Amino acid sequence: MSPGTISAASGQAGIASMALWSITVAALVLLLAIDIVLTRRPHEVGMREAVGWSVFYLALPVAFGVYLWAVFGSTTAVEFFTGYVVEKSLSVDNLFVFMLLLAAFAVPSELVQRVLLYGIVGALVLRAVFIALGAAALQSGTWAFLLFGAILIVTAGKVLAEARKGKGPTVDIDAMRSVRLLRRFVPV
């Protein structure tokens, strides 16, 4: 892996290499495995433990950024830190969604950590699948842009129609097919 690796898509110099992607994915899988092993015994997470894990998971990207700075220079490191800060700030709204879902499903506090971990693993898998499918669709032609645009317009229309009615969507969790399917396998 050399600092001058050329990106095939853009023709610009970059750091993307199969080795770096492999190491990144392997590290992610290792961290998830460690999390699964450490959370196998459900318990209520106290403030001290939560702060410790937060500091650990904040220190990892900082260490990676320092590595990038040392090996690839300040421009690459600043780009990484910028992307990380943007992604982190955009993910804050997920906390509220998690809190609403955990409350809606009345998840006991000692199981919250494990439920969140399964949710994160599920989100990572689904994100990878949808990125791969979306990239393949977009590469196949301009029709995909039109399809995705139409989906966004229809969704915006539904949101606007609900907003004009003055009431938000009501969700009956017991009637959801996914919840009924989940109840066959897991006590929900």
Side-chain angles (χ1 to χ4, degrees):
M1 163 174 53
S2 68
T5 304
I6 301 295
S7 169
S10 66
Q12 297 176 354
I15 65 166
S17 70
M18 197 58 175
L20 188 57
W21 275 108
S22 299
I23 291 168
T24 301
V25 170
L28 176 66
V29 169
L30 177 66
L31 288 169
L32 286 172
I34 290 169
D35 259 350
I36 289 170
V37 167
L38 292 177
T39 61
R40 71 180 181 277
R41 284 174 280 135
H43 66 284
E44 190 169 343
V45 177
M47 182 62 78
R48 184 177 180 158
E49 182 180 359
V51 168
W53 280 111
S54 296
V55 168
F56 173 73
Y57 278 114
L58 288 171
L60 289 177
V62 170
F64 184 68
V66 169
Y67 163 77
L68 290 177
W69 196 298
V71 175
F72 298 103
S74 62
T75 301
T76 300
V78 169
E79 288 173 354
F80 168 76
F81 282 125
T82 302
Y84 176 75
V85 168
V86 168
E87 181 67 27
K88 198 70 168 165
S89 62
L90 291 174
S91 69
V92 170
D93 65 330
N94 292 342
L95 295 174
F96 300 108
V97 173
F98 292 149
M99 290 170 45
L100 290 172
L101 287 172
L102 292 171
F105 287 103
V107 176
S109 57
E110 61 271 359
L111 295 177
V112 166
Q113 185 179 22
R114 180 144 246 190
V115 169
L116 285 174
L117 181 60
Y118 288 155
I120 289 167
V121 171
L124 287 171
V125 169
L126 288 174
R127 182 176 284 191
V129 167
F130 285 122
I131 286 172
L133 290 175
L138 290 175
Q139 202 148 25
S140 70
T142 56
W143 66 268
F145 287 103
L146 296 173
L147 175 67
F148 292 151
I151 290 170
L152 287 174
I153 290 171
V154 168
T155 303
K158 287 182 178 183
V159 170
L160 182 62
E162 287 177 1
R164 284 191 175 162
K165 290 178 184 175
K167 53 183 174 184
T170 56
V171 178
D172 182 13
I173 293 176
D174 291 325
M176 295 174 70
R177 282 180 281 197
S178 57
V179 172
R180 289 193 312 241
L181 177 67
L182 187 61
R183 282 190 174 139
R184 291 182 182 173
F185 304 104
V186 180
V188 176

